[in-house]
PDB file of all heavy atoms in Angstrom:
ATOM      1  N   VAL Y  29     159.282 153.114  -6.494  1.00  0.00           N
ATOM      2  CA  VAL Y  29     159.844 152.050  -5.669  1.00  0.00           C
ATOM      3  C   VAL Y  29     158.832 151.558  -4.580  1.00  0.00           C
ATOM      4  O   VAL Y  29     158.705 150.342  -4.414  1.00  0.00           O
ATOM      5  CB  VAL Y  29     161.174 152.502  -5.031  1.00  0.00           C
ATOM      6  CG1 VAL Y  29     161.622 151.531  -3.944  1.00  0.00           C
ATOM      7  CG2 VAL Y  29     162.231 152.651  -6.107  1.00  0.00           C
ATOM      8  N   PRO Y  30     158.151 152.430  -3.840  1.00  0.00           N
ATOM      9  CA  PRO Y  30     157.245 151.920  -2.805  1.00  0.00           C
ATOM     10  C   PRO Y  30     156.119 151.044  -3.329  1.00  0.00           C
ATOM     11  O   PRO Y  30     155.625 150.175  -2.606  1.00  0.00           O
ATOM     12  CB  PRO Y  30     156.648 153.220  -2.178  1.00  0.00           C
ATOM     13  CG  PRO Y  30     157.671 154.267  -2.486  1.00  0.00           C
ATOM     14  CD  PRO Y  30     158.203 153.905  -3.820  1.00  0.00           C
ATOM     15  N   CYS Y  31     155.731 151.243  -4.589  1.00  0.00           N
ATOM     16  CA  CYS Y  31     154.647 150.443  -5.170  1.00  0.00           C
ATOM     17  C   CYS Y  31     155.205 149.236  -5.935  1.00  0.00           C
ATOM     18  O   CYS Y  31     154.424 148.508  -6.555  1.00  0.00           O
ATOM     19  CB  CYS Y  31     153.801 151.294  -6.124  1.00  0.00           C
ATOM     20  SG  CYS Y  31     152.994 152.678  -5.305  1.00  0.00           S
ATOM     21  N   GLU Y  32     156.539 149.055  -5.883  1.00  0.00           N
ATOM     22  CA  GLU Y  32     157.231 147.956  -6.590  1.00  0.00           C
ATOM     23  C   GLU Y  32     156.914 147.994  -8.086  1.00  0.00           C
ATOM     24  O   GLU Y  32     156.695 146.959  -8.721  1.00  0.00           O
ATOM     25  CB  GLU Y  32     156.852 146.617  -5.987  1.00  0.00           C
ATOM     26  CG  GLU Y  32     157.273 146.503  -4.514  1.00  0.00           C
ATOM     27  CD  GLU Y  32     156.987 145.137  -3.927  1.00  0.00           C
ATOM     28  OE1 GLU Y  32     156.411 144.303  -4.670  1.00  0.00           O
ATOM     29  OE2 GLU Y  32     157.346 144.899  -2.761  1.00  0.00           O
ATOM     30  N   GLN Y  33     156.901 149.200  -8.649  1.00  0.00           N
ATOM     31  CA  GLN Y  33     156.591 149.364 -10.069  1.00  0.00           C
ATOM     32  C   GLN Y  33     157.800 149.871 -10.895  1.00  0.00           C
ATOM     33  O   GLN Y  33     157.658 150.155 -12.054  1.00  0.00           O
ATOM     34  CB  GLN Y  33     155.422 150.347 -10.234  1.00  0.00           C
ATOM     35  CG  GLN Y  33     154.107 149.858  -9.658  1.00  0.00           C
ATOM     36  CD  GLN Y  33     153.003 150.899  -9.767  1.00  0.00           C
ATOM     37  OE1 GLN Y  33     153.222 152.016 -10.214  1.00  0.00           O
ATOM     38  NE2 GLN Y  33     151.786 150.529  -9.349  1.00  0.00           N
ATOM     39  N   ALA Y  34     158.941 149.976 -10.220  1.00  0.00           N
ATOM     40  CA  ALA Y  34     160.135 150.428 -10.915  1.00  0.00           C
ATOM     41  C   ALA Y  34     160.545 149.424 -11.967  1.00  0.00           C
ATOM     42  O   ALA Y  34     160.635 148.224 -11.666  1.00  0.00           O
ATOM     43  CB  ALA Y  34     161.274 150.686  -9.924  1.00  0.00           C
ATOM     44  N   GLN Y  35     160.759 149.881 -13.183  1.00  0.00           N
ATOM     45  CA  GLN Y  35     161.082 148.971 -14.303  1.00  0.00           C
ATOM     46  C   GLN Y  35     162.547 148.505 -14.265  1.00  0.00           C
ATOM     47  O   GLN Y  35     162.882 147.484 -14.843  1.00  0.00           O
ATOM     48  CB  GLN Y  35     160.785 149.673 -15.623  1.00  0.00           C
ATOM     49  CG  GLN Y  35     159.316 150.039 -15.783  1.00  0.00           C
ATOM     50  CD  GLN Y  35     159.037 150.809 -17.057  1.00  0.00           C
ATOM     51  OE1 GLN Y  35     159.985 151.106 -17.817  1.00  0.00           O
ATOM     52  NE2 GLN Y  35     157.795 151.150 -17.302  1.00  0.00           N
ATOM     53  N   VAL Y  36     163.387 149.276 -13.577  1.00  0.00           N
ATOM     54  CA  VAL Y  36     164.798 148.901 -13.494  1.00  0.00           C
ATOM     55  C   VAL Y  36     165.040 148.129 -12.194  1.00  0.00           C
ATOM     56  O   VAL Y  36     164.813 148.667 -11.116  1.00  0.00           O
ATOM     57  CB  VAL Y  36     165.698 150.145 -13.517  1.00  0.00           C
ATOM     58  CG1 VAL Y  36     167.146 149.751 -13.431  1.00  0.00           C
ATOM     59  CG2 VAL Y  36     165.399 151.008 -14.766  1.00  0.00           C
ATOM     60  N   PRO Y  37     165.434 146.846 -12.263  1.00  0.00           N
ATOM     61  CA  PRO Y  37     165.633 146.055 -11.028  1.00  0.00           C
ATOM     62  C   PRO Y  37     166.600 146.673 -10.052  1.00  0.00           C
ATOM     63  O   PRO Y  37     166.405 146.570  -8.825  1.00  0.00           O
ATOM     64  CB  PRO Y  37     166.158 144.732 -11.571  1.00  0.00           C
ATOM     65  CG  PRO Y  37     165.680 144.653 -12.992  1.00  0.00           C
ATOM     66  CD  PRO Y  37     165.656 146.067 -13.495  1.00  0.00           C
ATOM     67  N   GLU Y  38     167.640 147.290 -10.596  1.00  0.00           N
ATOM     68  CA  GLU Y  38     168.618 147.940  -9.696  1.00  0.00           C
ATOM     69  C   GLU Y  38     168.000 149.049  -8.880  1.00  0.00           C
ATOM     70  O   GLU Y  38     168.351 149.278  -7.701  1.00  0.00           O
ATOM     71  CB  GLU Y  38     169.782 148.494 -10.519  1.00  0.00           C
ATOM     72  CG  GLU Y  38     170.960 149.012  -9.711  1.00  0.00           C
ATOM     73  CD  GLU Y  38     172.060 149.560 -10.610  1.00  0.00           C
ATOM     74  OE1 GLU Y  38     171.815 149.771 -11.808  1.00  0.00           O
ATOM     75  OE2 GLU Y  38     173.146 149.791 -10.058  1.00  0.00           O
ATOM     76  N   VAL Y  39     167.016 149.794  -9.476  1.00  0.00           N
ATOM     77  CA  VAL Y  39     166.361 150.878  -8.775  1.00  0.00           C
ATOM     78  C   VAL Y  39     165.382 150.294  -7.740  1.00  0.00           C
ATOM     79  O   VAL Y  39     165.253 150.812  -6.611  1.00  0.00           O
ATOM     80  CB  VAL Y  39     165.595 151.776  -9.741  1.00  0.00           C
ATOM     81  CG1 VAL Y  39     164.820 152.855  -9.011  1.00  0.00           C
ATOM     82  CG2 VAL Y  39     166.606 152.428 -10.724  1.00  0.00           C
ATOM     83  N   GLN Y  40     164.715 149.194  -8.065  1.00  0.00           N
ATOM     84  CA  GLN Y  40     163.759 148.571  -7.156  1.00  0.00           C
ATOM     85  C   GLN Y  40     164.413 148.088  -5.869  1.00  0.00           C
ATOM     86  O   GLN Y  40     163.794 148.033  -4.824  1.00  0.00           O
ATOM     87  CB  GLN Y  40     163.017 147.411  -7.875  1.00  0.00           C
ATOM     88  CG  GLN Y  40     161.887 146.805  -7.075  1.00  0.00           C
ATOM     89  CD  GLN Y  40     160.802 147.842  -6.704  1.00  0.00           C
ATOM     90  OE1 GLN Y  40     160.361 148.621  -7.548  1.00  0.00           O
ATOM     91  NE2 GLN Y  40     160.429 147.849  -5.444  1.00  0.00           N
ATOM     92  N   LYS Y  41     165.710 147.744  -5.993  1.00  0.00           N
ATOM     93  CA  LYS Y  41     166.439 147.308  -4.826  1.00  0.00           C
ATOM     94  C   LYS Y  41     166.608 148.395  -3.751  1.00  0.00           C
ATOM     95  O   LYS Y  41     166.913 148.102  -2.597  1.00  0.00           O
ATOM     96  CB  LYS Y  41     167.831 146.775  -5.228  1.00  0.00           C
ATOM     97  CG  LYS Y  41     167.797 145.498  -5.996  1.00  0.00           C
ATOM     98  CD  LYS Y  41     169.183 145.035  -6.361  1.00  0.00           C
ATOM     99  CE  LYS Y  41     169.164 143.743  -7.193  1.00  0.00           C
ATOM    100  NZ  LYS Y  41     170.528 143.313  -7.589  1.00  0.00           N
ATOM    101  N   LEU Y  42     166.383 149.640  -4.165  1.00  0.00           N
ATOM    102  CA  LEU Y  42     166.457 150.743  -3.191  1.00  0.00           C
ATOM    103  C   LEU Y  42     165.362 150.665  -2.146  1.00  0.00           C
ATOM    104  O   LEU Y  42     165.466 151.326  -1.109  1.00  0.00           O
ATOM    105  CB  LEU Y  42     166.324 152.102  -3.941  1.00  0.00           C
ATOM    106  CG  LEU Y  42     167.532 152.522  -4.819  1.00  0.00           C
ATOM    107  CD1 LEU Y  42     167.191 153.792  -5.589  1.00  0.00           C
ATOM    108  CD2 LEU Y  42     168.757 152.729  -3.952  1.00  0.00           C
ATOM    109  N   HIS Y  43     164.333 149.861  -2.411  1.00  0.00           N
ATOM    110  CA  HIS Y  43     163.250 149.656  -1.444  1.00  0.00           C
ATOM    111  C   HIS Y  43     163.821 149.185  -0.089  1.00  0.00           C
ATOM    112  O   HIS Y  43     163.462 149.685   0.958  1.00  0.00           O
ATOM    113  CB  HIS Y  43     162.268 148.643  -1.998  1.00  0.00           C
ATOM    114  CG  HIS Y  43     161.187 148.274  -1.054  1.00  0.00           C
ATOM    115  ND1 HIS Y  43     160.091 149.084  -0.832  1.00  0.00           N
ATOM    116  CD2 HIS Y  43     161.009 147.190  -0.248  1.00  0.00           C
ATOM    117  CE1 HIS Y  43     159.302 148.521   0.048  1.00  0.00           C
ATOM    118  NE2 HIS Y  43     159.836 147.363   0.428  1.00  0.00           N
ATOM    119  N   LYS Y  44     164.731 148.222  -0.153  1.00  0.00           N
ATOM    120  CA  LYS Y  44     165.332 147.675   1.068  1.00  0.00           C
ATOM    121  C   LYS Y  44     166.216 148.727   1.754  1.00  0.00           C
ATOM    122  O   LYS Y  44     166.259 148.813   2.973  1.00  0.00           O
ATOM    123  CB  LYS Y  44     166.168 146.415   0.745  1.00  0.00           C
ATOM    124  CG  LYS Y  44     165.321 145.234   0.282  1.00  0.00           C
ATOM    125  CD  LYS Y  44     166.200 144.016   0.052  1.00  0.00           C
ATOM    126  CE  LYS Y  44     165.361 142.809  -0.375  1.00  0.00           C
ATOM    127  NZ  LYS Y  44     166.233 141.625  -0.616  1.00  0.00           N
ATOM    128  N   GLU Y  45     166.890 149.543   0.948  1.00  0.00           N
ATOM    129  CA  GLU Y  45     167.775 150.531   1.539  1.00  0.00           C
ATOM    130  C   GLU Y  45     166.958 151.618   2.225  1.00  0.00           C
ATOM    131  O   GLU Y  45     167.329 152.092   3.339  1.00  0.00           O
ATOM    132  CB  GLU Y  45     168.648 151.170   0.423  1.00  0.00           C
ATOM    133  CG  GLU Y  45     169.748 152.080   0.948  1.00  0.00           C
ATOM    134  CD  GLU Y  45     170.780 152.416  -0.095  1.00  0.00           C
ATOM    135  OE1 GLU Y  45     170.824 151.723  -1.124  1.00  0.00           O
ATOM    136  OE2 GLU Y  45     171.512 153.388   0.139  1.00  0.00           O
ATOM    137  N   LEU Y  46     165.844 152.031   1.637  1.00  0.00           N
ATOM    138  CA  LEU Y  46     165.006 153.034   2.252  1.00  0.00           C
ATOM    139  C   LEU Y  46     164.380 152.478   3.557  1.00  0.00           C
ATOM    140  O   LEU Y  46     164.287 153.219   4.556  1.00  0.00           O
ATOM    141  CB  LEU Y  46     163.898 153.469   1.292  1.00  0.00           C
ATOM    142  CG  LEU Y  46     164.341 154.226   0.054  1.00  0.00           C
ATOM    143  CD1 LEU Y  46     163.146 154.502  -0.879  1.00  0.00           C
ATOM    144  CD2 LEU Y  46     164.983 155.567   0.453  1.00  0.00           C
ATOM    145  N   LYS Y  47     163.982 151.207   3.527  1.00  0.00           N
ATOM    146  CA  LYS Y  47     163.426 150.632   4.752  1.00  0.00           C
ATOM    147  C   LYS Y  47     164.465 150.531   5.855  1.00  0.00           C
ATOM    148  O   LYS Y  47     164.175 150.789   7.032  1.00  0.00           O
ATOM    149  CB  LYS Y  47     162.867 149.249   4.422  1.00  0.00           C
ATOM    150  CG  LYS Y  47     162.083 148.679   5.607  1.00  0.00           C
ATOM    151  CD  LYS Y  47     161.200 147.491   5.155  1.00  0.00           C
ATOM    152  CE  LYS Y  47     160.306 147.024   6.296  1.00  0.00           C
ATOM    153  NZ  LYS Y  47     159.398 145.951   5.884  1.00  0.00           N
ATOM    154  N   ALA Y  48     165.708 150.214   5.468  1.00  0.00           N
ATOM    155  CA  ALA Y  48     166.777 150.138   6.454  1.00  0.00           C
ATOM    156  C   ALA Y  48     167.037 151.517   7.085  1.00  0.00           C
ATOM    157  O   ALA Y  48     167.243 151.626   8.283  1.00  0.00           O
ATOM    158  CB  ALA Y  48     168.047 149.604   5.789  1.00  0.00           C
ATOM    159  N   GLN Y  49     167.039 152.551   6.242  1.00  0.00           N
ATOM    160  CA  GLN Y  49     167.217 153.904   6.768  1.00  0.00           C
ATOM    161  C   GLN Y  49     166.120 154.277   7.748  1.00  0.00           C
ATOM    162  O   GLN Y  49     166.390 154.827   8.827  1.00  0.00           O
ATOM    163  CB  GLN Y  49     167.194 154.919   5.610  1.00  0.00           C
ATOM    164  CG  GLN Y  49     168.424 154.875   4.720  1.00  0.00           C
ATOM    165  CD  GLN Y  49     168.331 155.908   3.587  1.00  0.00           C
ATOM    166  OE1 GLN Y  49     167.358 156.652   3.491  1.00  0.00           O
ATOM    167  NE2 GLN Y  49     169.344 155.953   2.721  1.00  0.00           N
ATOM    168  N   SER Y  50     164.903 153.942   7.405  1.00  0.00           N
ATOM    169  CA  SER Y  50     163.755 154.227   8.251  1.00  0.00           C
ATOM    170  C   SER Y  50     163.881 153.526   9.619  1.00  0.00           C
ATOM    171  O   SER Y  50     163.676 154.136  10.674  1.00  0.00           O
ATOM    172  CB  SER Y  50     162.455 153.793   7.607  1.00  0.00           C
ATOM    173  OG  SER Y  50     161.346 154.068   8.422  1.00  0.00           O
ATOM    174  N   GLN Y  51     164.228 152.258   9.594  1.00  0.00           N
ATOM    175  CA  GLN Y  51     164.334 151.487  10.837  1.00  0.00           C
ATOM    176  C   GLN Y  51     165.524 151.973  11.716  1.00  0.00           C
ATOM    177  O   GLN Y  51     165.396 152.031  12.955  1.00  0.00           O
ATOM    178  CB  GLN Y  51     164.494 150.004  10.530  1.00  0.00           C
ATOM    179  CG  GLN Y  51     163.219 149.418   9.946  1.00  0.00           C
ATOM    180  CD  GLN Y  51     163.354 147.946   9.557  1.00  0.00           C
ATOM    181  OE1 GLN Y  51     164.468 147.485   9.329  1.00  0.00           O
ATOM    182  NE2 GLN Y  51     162.229 147.247   9.472  1.00  0.00           N
ATOM    183  N   VAL Y  52     166.611 152.369  11.055  1.00  0.00           N
ATOM    184  CA  VAL Y  52     167.731 152.916  11.844  1.00  0.00           C
ATOM    185  C   VAL Y  52     167.329 154.209  12.522  1.00  0.00           C
ATOM    186  O   VAL Y  52     167.620 154.423  13.700  1.00  0.00           O
ATOM    187  CB  VAL Y  52     168.964 153.145  10.925  1.00  0.00           C
ATOM    188  CG1 VAL Y  52     170.030 153.972  11.635  1.00  0.00           C
ATOM    189  CG2 VAL Y  52     169.558 151.816  10.478  1.00  0.00           C
ATOM    190  N   LEU Y  53     166.616 155.069  11.806  1.00  0.00           N
ATOM    191  CA  LEU Y  53     166.147 156.312  12.396  1.00  0.00           C
ATOM    192  C   LEU Y  53     165.202 156.057  13.543  1.00  0.00           C
ATOM    193  O   LEU Y  53     165.188 156.749  14.573  1.00  0.00           O
ATOM    194  CB  LEU Y  53     165.445 157.183  11.336  1.00  0.00           C
ATOM    195  CG  LEU Y  53     166.376 157.846  10.307  1.00  0.00           C
ATOM    196  CD1 LEU Y  53     165.521 158.525   9.211  1.00  0.00           C
ATOM    197  CD2 LEU Y  53     167.308 158.841  10.944  1.00  0.00           C
ATOM    198  N   GLY Y  54     164.356 155.016  13.399  1.00  0.00           N
ATOM    199  CA  GLY Y  54     163.430 154.661  14.475  1.00  0.00           C
ATOM    200  C   GLY Y  54     164.128 154.244  15.741  1.00  0.00           C
ATOM    201  O   GLY Y  54     163.795 154.702  16.835  1.00  0.00           O
ATOM    202  N   TRP Y  55     165.136 153.387  15.599  1.00  0.00           N
ATOM    203  CA  TRP Y  55     165.896 152.932  16.770  1.00  0.00           C
ATOM    204  C   TRP Y  55     166.726 154.089  17.369  1.00  0.00           C
ATOM    205  O   TRP Y  55     166.862 154.135  18.616  1.00  0.00           O
ATOM    206  CB  TRP Y  55     166.784 151.788  16.417  1.00  0.00           C
ATOM    207  CG  TRP Y  55     166.040 150.476  16.287  1.00  0.00           C
ATOM    208  CD1 TRP Y  55     165.883 149.705  15.179  1.00  0.00           C
ATOM    209  CD2 TRP Y  55     165.341 149.790  17.330  1.00  0.00           C
ATOM    210  NE1 TRP Y  55     165.106 148.619  15.446  1.00  0.00           N
ATOM    211  CE2 TRP Y  55     164.770 148.627  16.761  1.00  0.00           C
ATOM    212  CE3 TRP Y  55     165.139 150.036  18.668  1.00  0.00           C
ATOM    213  CZ2 TRP Y  55     164.023 147.737  17.527  1.00  0.00           C
ATOM    214  CZ3 TRP Y  55     164.369 149.167  19.419  1.00  0.00           C
ATOM    215  CH2 TRP Y  55     163.817 147.993  18.846  1.00  0.00           C
ATOM    216  N   VAL Y  56     167.241 154.941  16.550  1.00  0.00           N
ATOM    217  CA  VAL Y  56     167.992 156.124  17.053  1.00  0.00           C
ATOM    218  C   VAL Y  56     167.052 157.005  17.884  1.00  0.00           C
ATOM    219  O   VAL Y  56     167.420 157.513  18.952  1.00  0.00           O
ATOM    220  CB  VAL Y  56     168.629 156.911  15.924  1.00  0.00           C
ATOM    221  CG1 VAL Y  56     169.151 158.274  16.411  1.00  0.00           C
ATOM    222  CG2 VAL Y  56     169.775 156.112  15.293  1.00  0.00           C
ATOM    223  N   LEU Y  57     165.856 157.254  17.356  1.00  0.00           N
ATOM    224  CA  LEU Y  57     164.866 158.066  18.075  1.00  0.00           C
ATOM    225  C   LEU Y  57     164.524 157.438  19.420  1.00  0.00           C
ATOM    226  O   LEU Y  57     164.477 158.137  20.458  1.00  0.00           O
ATOM    227  CB  LEU Y  57     163.616 158.214  17.226  1.00  0.00           C
ATOM    228  CG  LEU Y  57     162.447 158.959  17.906  1.00  0.00           C
ATOM    229  CD1 LEU Y  57     162.849 160.396  18.220  1.00  0.00           C
ATOM    230  CD2 LEU Y  57     161.196 158.946  17.019  1.00  0.00           C
ATOM    231  N   ILE Y  58     164.305 156.112  19.455  1.00  0.00           N
ATOM    232  CA  ILE Y  58     163.994 155.420  20.730  1.00  0.00           C
ATOM    233  C   ILE Y  58     165.157 155.567  21.699  1.00  0.00           C
ATOM    234  O   ILE Y  58     164.952 155.857  22.906  1.00  0.00           O
ATOM    235  CB  ILE Y  58     163.657 153.946  20.443  1.00  0.00           C
ATOM    236  CG1 ILE Y  58     162.355 153.824  19.684  1.00  0.00           C
ATOM    237  CG2 ILE Y  58     163.582 153.154  21.750  1.00  0.00           C
ATOM    238  CD1 ILE Y  58     162.039 152.403  19.216  1.00  0.00           C
ATOM    239  N   ALA Y  59     166.377 155.382  21.213  1.00  0.00           N
ATOM    240  CA  ALA Y  59     167.551 155.477  22.098  1.00  0.00           C
ATOM    241  C   ALA Y  59     167.705 156.891  22.653  1.00  0.00           C
ATOM    242  O   ALA Y  59     167.958 157.060  23.843  1.00  0.00           O
ATOM    243  CB  ALA Y  59     168.825 155.097  21.318  1.00  0.00           C
ATOM    244  N   VAL Y  60     167.521 157.908  21.814  1.00  0.00           N
ATOM    245  CA  VAL Y  60     167.629 159.311  22.269  1.00  0.00           C
ATOM    246  C   VAL Y  60     166.588 159.602  23.320  1.00  0.00           C
ATOM    247  O   VAL Y  60     166.906 160.244  24.359  1.00  0.00           O
ATOM    248  CB  VAL Y  60     167.558 160.274  21.060  1.00  0.00           C
ATOM    249  CG1 VAL Y  60     167.408 161.699  21.549  1.00  0.00           C
ATOM    250  CG2 VAL Y  60     168.771 160.125  20.142  1.00  0.00           C
ATOM    251  N   VAL Y  61     165.344 159.185  23.056  1.00  0.00           N
ATOM    252  CA  VAL Y  61     164.254 159.452  24.013  1.00  0.00           C
ATOM    253  C   VAL Y  61     164.548 158.786  25.349  1.00  0.00           C
ATOM    254  O   VAL Y  61     164.346 159.379  26.417  1.00  0.00           O
ATOM    255  CB  VAL Y  61     162.907 158.958  23.456  1.00  0.00           C
ATOM    256  CG1 VAL Y  61     161.832 159.004  24.514  1.00  0.00           C
ATOM    257  CG2 VAL Y  61     162.495 159.853  22.253  1.00  0.00           C
ATOM    258  N   MET Y  62     165.001 157.559  25.320  1.00  0.00           N
ATOM    259  CA  MET Y  62     165.287 156.813  26.548  1.00  0.00           C
ATOM    260  C   MET Y  62     166.416 157.487  27.354  1.00  0.00           C
ATOM    261  O   MET Y  62     166.352 157.596  28.573  1.00  0.00           O
ATOM    262  CB  MET Y  62     165.635 155.374  26.254  1.00  0.00           C
ATOM    263  CG  MET Y  62     164.498 154.558  25.672  1.00  0.00           C
ATOM    264  SD  MET Y  62     163.045 154.489  26.757  1.00  0.00           S
ATOM    265  CE  MET Y  62     163.699 153.552  28.127  1.00  0.00           C
ATOM    266  N   ILE Y  63     167.470 157.914  26.626  1.00  0.00           N
ATOM    267  CA  ILE Y  63     168.586 158.564  27.293  1.00  0.00           C
ATOM    268  C   ILE Y  63     168.156 159.891  27.912  1.00  0.00           C
ATOM    269  O   ILE Y  63     168.486 160.204  29.077  1.00  0.00           O
ATOM    270  CB  ILE Y  63     169.753 158.791  26.296  1.00  0.00           C
ATOM    271  CG1 ILE Y  63     170.361 157.451  25.877  1.00  0.00           C
ATOM    272  CG2 ILE Y  63     170.845 159.691  26.884  1.00  0.00           C
ATOM    273  CD1 ILE Y  63     171.365 157.531  24.783  1.00  0.00           C
ATOM    274  N   VAL Y  64     167.406 160.711  27.182  1.00  0.00           N
ATOM    275  CA  VAL Y  64     166.920 161.983  27.695  1.00  0.00           C
ATOM    276  C   VAL Y  64     166.014 161.770  28.877  1.00  0.00           C
ATOM    277  O   VAL Y  64     166.089 162.473  29.886  1.00  0.00           O
ATOM    278  CB  VAL Y  64     166.192 162.763  26.573  1.00  0.00           C
ATOM    279  CG1 VAL Y  64     165.528 164.019  27.149  1.00  0.00           C
ATOM    280  CG2 VAL Y  64     167.200 163.198  25.506  1.00  0.00           C
ATOM    281  N   LEU Y  65     165.128 160.769  28.781  1.00  0.00           N
ATOM    282  CA  LEU Y  65     164.219 160.464  29.892  1.00  0.00           C
ATOM    283  C   LEU Y  65     164.958 160.053  31.153  1.00  0.00           C
ATOM    284  O   LEU Y  65     164.654 160.510  32.266  1.00  0.00           O
ATOM    285  CB  LEU Y  65     163.246 159.366  29.468  1.00  0.00           C
ATOM    286  CG  LEU Y  65     162.215 158.905  30.523  1.00  0.00           C
ATOM    287  CD1 LEU Y  65     161.301 160.062  30.906  1.00  0.00           C
ATOM    288  CD2 LEU Y  65     161.417 157.712  29.995  1.00  0.00           C
ATOM    289  N   LEU Y  66     165.981 159.182  30.970  1.00  0.00           N
ATOM    290  CA  LEU Y  66     166.782 158.764  32.113  1.00  0.00           C
ATOM    291  C   LEU Y  66     167.527 159.929  32.734  1.00  0.00           C
ATOM    292  O   LEU Y  66     167.548 160.044  33.975  1.00  0.00           O
ATOM    293  CB  LEU Y  66     167.757 157.655  31.645  1.00  0.00           C
ATOM    294  CG  LEU Y  66     168.726 157.126  32.729  1.00  0.00           C
ATOM    295  CD1 LEU Y  66     167.953 156.509  33.863  1.00  0.00           C
ATOM    296  CD2 LEU Y  66     169.715 156.135  32.114  1.00  0.00           C
ATOM    297  N   LEU Y  67     168.123 160.777  31.925  1.00  0.00           N
ATOM    298  CA  LEU Y  67     168.875 161.921  32.438  1.00  0.00           C
ATOM    299  C   LEU Y  67     167.967 162.887  33.181  1.00  0.00           C
ATOM    300  O   LEU Y  67     168.305 163.334  34.294  1.00  0.00           O
ATOM    301  CB  LEU Y  67     169.610 162.645  31.278  1.00  0.00           C
ATOM    302  CG  LEU Y  67     170.784 161.906  30.659  1.00  0.00           C
ATOM    303  CD1 LEU Y  67     171.340 162.670  29.473  1.00  0.00           C
ATOM    304  CD2 LEU Y  67     171.887 161.688  31.686  1.00  0.00           C
ATOM    305  N   CYS Y  68     166.824 163.205  32.581  1.00  0.00           N
ATOM    306  CA  CYS Y  68     165.904 164.162  33.213  1.00  0.00           C
ATOM    307  C   CYS Y  68     165.361 163.605  34.537  1.00  0.00           C
ATOM    308  O   CYS Y  68     165.293 164.345  35.517  1.00  0.00           O
ATOM    309  CB  CYS Y  68     164.750 164.464  32.267  1.00  0.00           C
ATOM    310  SG  CYS Y  68     165.223 165.457  30.827  1.00  0.00           S
ATOM    311  N   THR Y  69     164.984 162.319  34.528  1.00  0.00           N
ATOM    312  CA  THR Y  69     164.496 161.698  35.749  1.00  0.00           C
ATOM    313  C   THR Y  69     165.564 161.667  36.848  1.00  0.00           C
ATOM    314  O   THR Y  69     165.278 161.972  37.996  1.00  0.00           O
ATOM    315  CB  THR Y  69     163.992 160.258  35.474  1.00  0.00           C
ATOM    316  OG1 THR Y  69     162.998 160.305  34.450  1.00  0.00           O
ATOM    317  CG2 THR Y  69     163.391 159.629  36.728  1.00  0.00           C
ATOM    318  N   SER Y  70     166.765 161.340  36.461  1.00  0.00           N
ATOM    319  CA  SER Y  70     167.865 161.283  37.436  1.00  0.00           C
ATOM    320  C   SER Y  70     168.181 162.633  38.021  1.00  0.00           C
ATOM    321  O   SER Y  70     168.369 162.777  39.240  1.00  0.00           O
ATOM    322  CB  SER Y  70     169.143 160.682  36.774  1.00  0.00           C
ATOM    323  OG  SER Y  70     168.899 159.390  36.285  1.00  0.00           O
ATOM    324  N   VAL Y  71     168.250 163.664  37.153  1.00  0.00           N
ATOM    325  CA  VAL Y  71     168.537 165.005  37.625  1.00  0.00           C
ATOM    326  C   VAL Y  71     167.416 165.544  38.536  1.00  0.00           C
ATOM    327  O   VAL Y  71     167.668 166.118  39.598  1.00  0.00           O
ATOM    328  CB  VAL Y  71     168.754 165.969  36.448  1.00  0.00           C
ATOM    329  CG1 VAL Y  71     168.867 167.398  36.895  1.00  0.00           C
ATOM    330  CG2 VAL Y  71     170.036 165.584  35.686  1.00  0.00           C
ATOM    331  N   THR Y  72     166.188 165.285  38.120  1.00  0.00           N
ATOM    332  CA  THR Y  72     165.025 165.732  38.904  1.00  0.00           C
ATOM    333  C   THR Y  72     165.032 165.070  40.297  1.00  0.00           C
ATOM    334  O   THR Y  72     164.791 165.731  41.320  1.00  0.00           O
ATOM    335  CB  THR Y  72     163.718 165.411  38.187  1.00  0.00           C
ATOM    336  OG1 THR Y  72     163.731 166.051  36.902  1.00  0.00           O
ATOM    337  CG2 THR Y  72     162.517 165.921  38.967  1.00  0.00           C
TER     338      THR Y  72
END
């Protein structure tokens, strides 16, 4: 799928789903880091 060489079109569509998962995880990581940073700074 990453090389767009999947012979089954339905399988190749998983490329978008994997990218969506990655981006959601990225934004979740950013949100968690910002919340932890804010809490630690406020408590300190």
Side-chain angles (χ1 to χ4, degrees):
V29 169
C31 298
E32 299 183 357
Q33 295 177 356
Q35 298 175 358
V36 181
E38 187 180 14
V39 177
Q40 187 58 47
K41 290 180 181 179
L42 290 175
H43 175 79
K44 292 183 179 180
E45 188 167 344
L46 292 176
K47 188 165 187 175
Q49 289 180 1
S50 179
Q51 291 177 337
V52 168
L53 288 174
W55 283 115
V56 168
L57 176 62
I58 292 173
V60 169
V61 170
M62 294 301 293
I63 291 172
V64 171
L65 179 62
L66 177 61
L67 289 175
C68 291
T69 303
S70 300
V71 171
T72 302

